[in-house]
Amino acid sequence: MAEEVKLFKTWSSPFPLRVAWALQLKGIQYESVLEDLSNKSNLLLQYNPVYKKVPVLLHNGRPISESLIILEYVDETWKQYSLLPRDPYARAMARFWAKFGDDKVLPSIYAAFKSEGKEQEAALAEASEHLQKLEEELKGKKFFGGDNIGYLDIALGWLANLGVFEEVSSLRVLDVERFPLLCAWLKEFSDAPVIKDCWPPRDMLIAKFIARHQARHAKSSST
Ligand SMILES: N[C@@H](CCC(=O)N[C@@H](CS)C(=O)NCC(=O)O)C(=O)O
């Protein structure tokens, strides 16, 4: 009997993209279920009653949520193309940096894009400090996973969206002079066909972020 593999996602969210990339790298066929987060489906609420967020992976009727946990599930379920390294220490480090990406890098970059003035400067300085740590991690490597895209590359893949944010807001976060390894990694990662195939259309992302940026601006100038 064919396996049931469904991915609850939206067209643009970065977290479900992690799961799409992992499934793609493993060559697993799956069905996408598109959610509207302003009107979540009963199925999404049923499958992820705790966080009520995408992604949810449904595998043979059983739901799993939280993208980093799903990545581990995918890696343990389908053994072809390992995402996490074999060595326990290297696995722990990959998980450590993935958590750092979600806990520290993402919030500081998000804060830099949504703030202005002194607040923005502080957020940008904090983001740069965090990015510097990732830059160090890339020394001597093509991908965080070594020669091939792995768990940590996928976990940090949302950084490839920065170009779109930078274009919309004219804020520069990933400066090639300062972060040459990260910039080279981003290009290598984004150009990989398996990654590119899942990426939302750039013009649609730009339109979405322009609308969000303008709404934020209109709100801050009216207060
Ligand atoms: N920690 C979660 C974050 C998932 C997340 O924030 N999903 C967003 C879309 S990108 C969402 O579903 N938001 C809906 C909401 O917050 O109500 C993960 O890694 O899966």
Side-chain angles (χ1 to χ4, degrees):
M1 201 177 73
E3 283 192 295
E4 178 196 36
V5 185
K6 286 187 182 168
L7 174 59
F8 288 72
K9 57 183 234 179
T10 70
W11 71 269
S12 62
S13 316
F15 295 104
L17 254 185
R18 290 173 169 170
V19 183
W21 285 328
L23 292 170
Q24 195 90 344
L25 280 164
K26 300 242 178 204
I28 305 301
Q29 301 284 324
Y30 65 95
E31 186 187 323
S32 291
V33 181
L34 277 181
E35 282 291 330
D36 169 3
L37 295 180
S38 61
N39 181 23
K40 294 171 187 171
S41 72
N42 288 336
L43 276 182
L44 177 65
L45 300 176
Q46 177 191 326
Y47 290 141
N48 190 357
V50 176
Y51 293 110
K52 306 179 175 66
K53 291 183 179 192
V54 291
V56 169
L57 183 75
L58 190 70
H59 183 207
N60 294 334
R62 297 196 296 178
I64 310 123
S65 51
E66 286 298 299
S67 59
L68 294 179
I69 290 170
I70 302 174
L71 287 187
E72 297 218 21
Y73 176 83
V74 166
D75 209 24
E76 286 166 11
T77 303
W78 295 284
K79 301 286 184 199
Q80 64 275 33
Y81 193 100
S82 285
L83 299 175
L84 273 160
R86 271 184 206 286
D87 172 64
Y89 185 75
R91 287 167 86 83
M93 288 302 101
R95 292 180 179 119
F96 173 87
W97 288 114
K99 184 162 164 29
F100 172 73
D102 280 7
D103 290 353
K104 294 286 187 187
V105 188
L106 183 59
S108 60
I109 291 183
Y110 184 66
F113 279 107
K114 74 174 203 235
S115 56
E116 286 175 344
K118 288 252 173 295
E119 208 184 310
Q120 186 174 61
E121 274 172 37
L124 207 51
E126 193 189 325
S128 298
E129 202 180 299
H130 296 328
L131 288 169
Q132 193 57 49
K133 296 200 166 67
L134 296 181
E135 177 82 6
E136 300 286 318
E137 271 309 291
L138 268 176
K139 276 194 181 143
K141 289 190 251 175
K142 181 171 168 191
F143 293 108
F144 286 98
D147 291 336
N148 299 304
I149 292 174
Y151 167 88
L152 186 52
D153 298 281
I154 292 176
L156 295 172
W158 58 268
L159 281 167
N161 244 351
L162 271 188
V164 175
F165 279 110
E166 289 179 335
E167 197 171 321
V168 169
S169 68
S170 67
L171 187 72
R172 204 97 201 93
V173 178
L174 261 183
D175 181 357
V176 72
E177 310 262 297
R178 195 151 175 208
F179 304 110
L181 301 179
L182 267 175
C183 289
W185 164 76
L186 263 190
K187 170 136 185 50
E188 201 75 52
F189 178 78
S190 319
D191 285 352
V194 82
I195 301 300
K196 230 187 214 164
D197 277 359
C198 303
W199 206 255
R202 192 179 165 84
D203 52 344
M204 281 174 69
L205 276 181
I206 290 194
K208 177 182 164 165
F209 293 137
I210 287 180
R212 195 181 275 180
H213 193 64
Q214 285 172 346
R216 199 172 283 143
H217 239 70
K219 204 169 153 201
S220 68
S221 54
S222 71
T223 51

